[in-house]
Amino acid sequence: MRSQPGLGALIVLEGAEGVGKTTQLRLLADRMRLAGIPHSRVREPGGSPVGDDIRRLLLDPSMSIVPRAEALLFMASRAQLVDTVIRPAIARGEFVLADRFFLATYAYQIAGRGLGAEGVVAANDFATGGLTPGMTLLLDLPDGEGLGRIAARGEHDRIEQSGDAFHARVARAYRDFAAPAWQAAHPECGPVALVDARGAEDAVADRIWGELTLRWPQTFRLVPESYL
Ligand code: Z5A
């Protein structure tokens, strides 16, 4: 797998809890490896030693964190990740596959917690230095199905414990992000493709690959033979 400077971009998987982002990130990385496409994987919050410590703080159910502090902690983790991992990887010509990015802040901190968009967008711009995803794949499931998938986990982190009304606002926000009018008004989020996350894992992975082929036809046309 050879990197080509100029080829790389940030690809983000997004969606409400339990829609299958982590599963699909793994399947996509497998397929890209078989197709010889250079890539690396990160998750938010986290993905760097500093970010992993911030993640522990953010998800710890015993912590009481006010919404602005919560948003700024996500931004601190993102700034560290962008500068130390994502930008260097893109400069090497890799596709960086991210489990969540700024769209999650829109869903959880702006729609969910009710923070003003203007301040959060400015903070994100400061954190990322203006880095925008080349594409976000927004996994979509009918209401409640994702939470049903993760219900069996037993333990719930601080954000998962935020209540039904909070999660309903988050789910509604994710639906809005797929609308062309929303995307046109929010260029800082980059292009967003809605992906039906129902059905078998491989069927969802095929839909994701299809979207990437539309976005980068030269790179993603090489479907790994084992998937034909
Ligand atoms: N957050 C925020 O508030 N603001 C921000 O700016 C950012 C994040 C960046 C991170 O938690 C939390 O931070 C998250 C948003 C917030 N909070 N919440 N709540 P995380 O990283 O620990 O968790 P998550 O991002 O919410 O992901 P998740 O709950 O682990 O779900 P997932 O990654 O989308 O799904 P999964 O782990 O791949 O799959 C879930 C289960 O479904 C699992 O048992 C799979 O085997 C199963 N699965 C997967 N695909 C299928 C299909 N196709 N059929 C059936 N079952 C399936």
Side-chain angles (χ1 to χ4, degrees):
M1 168 167 18
R2 186 181 304 158
S3 302
Q4 294 172 35
L7 173 76
L10 175 62
I11 296 174
V12 181
L13 270 84
E14 275 286 0
E17 295 90 320
V19 289
K21 298 176 296 298
T22 310
T23 304
Q24 290 303 323
L25 207 80
R26 177 175 47 76
L27 293 176
L28 178 57
D30 284 351
R31 289 180 176 208
M32 290 176 77
R33 184 175 45 76
L34 288 169
I37 304 170
H39 63 279
S40 48
R41 290 168 55 173
V42 297
R43 70 169 175 183
E44 276 215 346
S48 71
V50 167
D52 288 339
D53 274 1
I54 295 173
R55 179 185 177 89
R56 271 189 286 282
L57 202 61
L58 276 165
L59 300 186
D60 182 348
S62 71
M63 288 285 162
S64 171
I65 306 178
V66 300
R68 272 179 301 125
E70 178 180 279
L72 290 169
L73 284 168
F74 278 112
M75 296 305 171
S77 170
R78 185 166 302 150
Q80 188 73 16
L81 184 66
V82 165
D83 280 16
T84 65
V85 181
I86 297 179
R87 281 193 189 277
I90 291 175
R92 286 194 301 271
E94 293 175 21
F95 284 88
V96 180
L97 312 180
D99 199 335
R100 297 193 181 280
F101 201 64
F102 185 40
L103 215 53
T105 317
Y106 253 105
Y108 287 86
Q109 279 66 52
I110 296 175
R113 301 286 191 223
L115 289 178
E118 203 180 330
V120 179
V121 171
N124 181 67
D125 194 48
F126 183 58
T128 61
L131 178 74
T132 304
M135 173 149 217
T136 295
L137 300 148
L138 174 51
L139 302 189
D140 184 50
L141 276 181
D143 279 346
E145 233 175 84
L147 287 174
R149 284 183 183 173
I150 60 170
R153 273 184 199 160
E155 284 179 7
H156 294 288
D157 66 44
R158 190 184 62 82
I159 295 178
E160 285 167 353
Q161 291 178 9
S162 299
D164 291 347
F166 172 84
H167 288 293
R169 287 195 294 278
V170 169
R172 217 168 28 243
Y174 271 121
R175 294 261 149 71
D176 292 345
F177 301 155
W182 193 93
Q183 290 175 43
H186 298 85
E188 68 280 5
C189 294
V192 179
L194 190 68
V195 176
D196 183 353
R198 291 172 300 176
E201 291 175 6
D202 277 339
V204 181
D206 287 345
R207 288 175 207 134
I208 287 176
W209 194 269
E211 292 294 343
L212 293 170
T213 305
L214 290 175
R215 176 75 179 82
W216 289 285
Q218 295 305 317
T219 306
F220 286 87
R221 74 187 193 290
L222 303 162
V223 179
E225 266 179 32
S226 54
Y227 289 100
L228 289 174

